[in-house]
Amino acid sequence: MRSFRDLAPRLSRWPGALALALVLPLAGCSADSSRPDAAPPASGASSTGATATAAPEVRAELRVDGHTRRYLLHRPAADGRRPLVIAFHGRGGGAAELREKSRLERAAEERGMLVAFPEGLDQGWGAGTRATGQRPDPGVDVRFTEALIKHLVRTEHADPRRVYVAGFSNGGSMALRIAAERPGLLAGAASVSGQLAAGDAAVKPTGTVPVMVVYGADDPVRPLAGLPSPPPDPEEPILPSLSARDTAEAFAAAGGGGDPVTRARKGYDETVWRPKDGHGGPDADTVRLLVVHDAGHTWPGTTVAPPEGFGPVSKDLDATGAILDFFTGRGR
C-alpha cells in the first residue's frame, strides 16, 4: 500500500482526493467559544429567514469559535422548508472541488434540496477525537457544523427534520463523526471513501441514524480493511481507522440493527442492516454498505479523473444519485 508521503506530491493534480481518506483531525486554533458569533445571513437571504430572489448559488460566511468559516450554498427553486445536505470535501481540497466531483447540487436541485459545501480549516476536517499539535481542538468542526445547520435553518428555510451530511475521504469521515456524535441533528448521513476513526482518536456512534457507506474494493489510499496501525508521518499524523464494514456495523449496533443481508448488484455488493424489531416499516433507520468493484479512492460515477495511484472510477454506480435516494427514502 502506498504511504501518504508517496502520494502527497500528486495532491496538486487532484487536491481533494486524499482529504477524507486519511481521517485526520482538524488543524486550527483552539476554540474560544462553543457558540457562533453574530454574522449576517447568507447573501440573498433576508434577516427574517425568507429567501429573497437571488442567484441559486452563493458564497457566504459564518463566524464560529473565532474563525470566519466560508461555505458555498446552492439554493433550489423550491419554496417552503427544504431538505438540507452539508457536503464535506476531502483533505487538501475545497468546496468547489467536491461540487465538481460529485455534482451534488445538480441532483439535489431535482429534489428541491439545499446543498452547503463548507470549507475546512487548512483544507481539512477534524474527523477524529484526538488532539494533535497541528489540530489542538478536535471538536471545533463538530461545533461549526451544528452552528451552520442552525444558521441555514434560520436564514434559508432549511427543514430541521430533514438535515443530512455527506462527504468524501476525510470529509466522509467527518460526516460519519457528525452522525456518530450528533445523531439527533440528522435524518441521514453518507460517506464515500471515509471510515470511522479508531484507536486513541476513536469515534463511536451514540444513537440511531440512517447511514450509507460507499467504498471502493480496491482503494489503495485508505484500504477497505481500514488502517488499524497507520504509518507515522512527521507533518500530519494519520489516524487509525476501522474497516468500512466495521464502520457500518458500529452504526447498525447503535441503532439496534438486526443481522445483515448482502446482495450482489451490478458492479457492487450491498449489505443492509435493518432494525431488529421491524418498527417503522422496511425502510426505517437502515444502515447500508456498498462495496464497489474495481473502484479505488474515488467517487463512483464521477467524470473527474483521479490522479495516478488512486485507483479507477466505477461507472456501475452513481454514488451521488444513490446517496440522495437513500436520504429521501427511495434507496432504503
Side-chain angles (χ1 to χ4, degrees):
M1 189 197 73
R2 298 170 189 266
S3 71
F4 173 48
R5 191 178 292 103
D6 294 334
L7 296 172
R10 296 172 182 153
L11 287 176
S12 60
R13 297 170 57 189
W14 204 41
L18 191 58
L20 305 165
L22 298 182
V23 197
L24 299 173
L26 173 69
C29 302
S30 59
D32 54 31
S33 171
S34 62
R35 296 182 179 181
D37 299 332
S43 53
S46 74
S47 60
T48 63
T51 304
T53 54
E57 196 167 272
V58 296
R59 291 190 176 274
E61 297 178 349
L62 182 64
R63 189 89 177 149
V64 182
D65 283 347
H67 298 283
T68 298
R69 308 297 299 261
R70 296 176 174 84
Y71 60 95
L72 183 64
L73 178 69
H74 180 84
R75 297 188 182 113
D79 296 324
R81 288 289 180 186
R82 296 167 289 188
L84 168 65
V85 179
I86 307 290
F88 300 102
H89 63 75
R91 182 175 179 271
E97 183 263 344
L98 180 59
R99 179 189 58 183
E100 179 184 8
K101 179 162 49 194
S102 67
R103 296 303 188 196
L104 269 168
E105 85 289 355
R106 293 187 180 184
E109 172 71 32
E110 299 172 358
R111 296 164 171 83
M113 306 173 83
L114 288 159
V115 184
F117 297 93
E119 301 280 2
L121 294 175
D122 292 338
Q123 297 181 299
W125 301 102
T129 57
R130 186 180 76 195
T132 69
Q134 293 85 352
R135 286 155 166 71
D137 183 357
V140 69
D141 282 329
V142 175
R143 298 192 301 273
F144 164 62
T145 303
E146 290 179 297
L148 180 59
I149 291 170
K150 181 179 178 180
H151 179 69
L152 295 176
V153 168
R154 177 173 62 86
T155 64
E156 295 290 340
H157 278 187
D159 186 345
R161 299 166 301 176
R162 293 182 292 168
V163 176
Y164 310 93
V165 292
F168 175 75
S169 188
N170 170 237
S173 295
M174 186 67 218
L176 294 173
R177 182 178 181 186
I178 297 297
E181 297 184 355
R182 301 293 188 273
L185 280 178
L186 306 178
S191 169
V192 178
S193 298
Q195 299 157 326
L196 282 174
D200 61 358
V203 172
K204 298 180 180 180
T206 58
T208 301
V209 62
V211 170
M212 173 180 280
V213 177
V214 180
Y215 224 91
D218 301 319
D219 191 325
V221 177
R222 173 68 67 174
L224 181 69
L227 283 177
S229 300
D233 188 279
E235 296 180 359
E236 191 69 67
I238 301 175
L239 299 182
S241 69
L242 299 178
S243 70
R245 186 179 181 95
D246 286 347
T247 293
E249 286 184 336
F251 282 102
D259 293 334
V261 176
T262 300
R263 294 184 177 88
R265 308 293 190 186
K266 184 179 184 298
Y268 63 95
D269 294 324
E270 178 184 54
T271 301
V272 178
W273 291 259
R274 299 192 187 279
K276 292 178 182 177
D277 56 17
H279 289 173
D283 297 336
D285 301 324
T286 59
V287 174
R288 289 181 182 264
L289 170 64
L290 309 185
V291 177
V292 187
H293 306 163
D294 302 318
H297 195 71
T298 54
W299 187 282
T302 186
T303 59
V304 177
E308 182 182 354
F310 282 80
V313 175
S314 171
K315 299 302 182 182
D316 288 325
L317 175 69
D318 171 16
T320 297
I323 288 169
L324 295 186
D325 283 350
F326 178 74
F327 287 166
T328 58
R330 300 178 194 174
R332 294 192 219 164

